[in-house]
Amino acid sequence: MIRRKKAATGVNVTFVLDPDTSPAHVSVVGDFNDWTPGTHVLRKRSNGTRSVSIALPVGHRTHFRYLGEGGHWFDDPQVDGHDAQGAYLVP
């Protein structure tokens, strides 16, 4: 699930995963962090989900994927679209 909330400097995007449908250790990687694994790790929350929030500029197409343990790459089903570079959202 992807949640978006307007902020003074852009949009806070929260990436949320259900622990029942994803690997135990996951980070979100994309052009906002130079595709560097481990920079934005999803942390366990009190409701059982895992999430991380990232501030992104408004209207900028942002490509990203999730990277789970064992090198397992996967996409969020709520992306805004796909292009030649993969899944993206536009905050």
Side-chain angles (χ1 to χ4, degrees):
M1 174 187 327
I2 299 172
R3 297 181 186 142
R4 302 163 205 224
K5 184 176 181 181
K6 289 185 181 182
T9 59
V11 176
N12 285 330
V13 177
T14 302
F15 299 90
V16 182
L17 293 176
D18 182 342
D20 296 332
T21 60
S22 62
H25 301 284
V26 178
S27 61
V28 62
V29 293
D31 50 18
F32 52 86
N33 63 12
D34 293 324
W35 296 91
T36 305
T39 302
H40 295 99
V41 176
L42 282 78
R43 304 282 182 212
K44 188 173 183 178
R45 306 298 174 199
S46 60
N47 65 1
T49 63
R50 285 170 295 172
S51 66
V52 65
S53 294
I54 302 169
L56 297 173
V58 175
H60 176 75
R61 184 176 284 194
T62 301
H63 290 88
F64 76 97
R65 293 192 81 193
Y66 296 114
L67 179 59
E69 55 194 314
H72 174 70
W73 289 93
F74 61 102
D75 293 320
D76 194 297
Q78 292 185 334
V79 297
D80 293 338
H82 291 86
D83 63 15
Q85 295 178 318
Y88 67 85
L89 59 90
V90 182

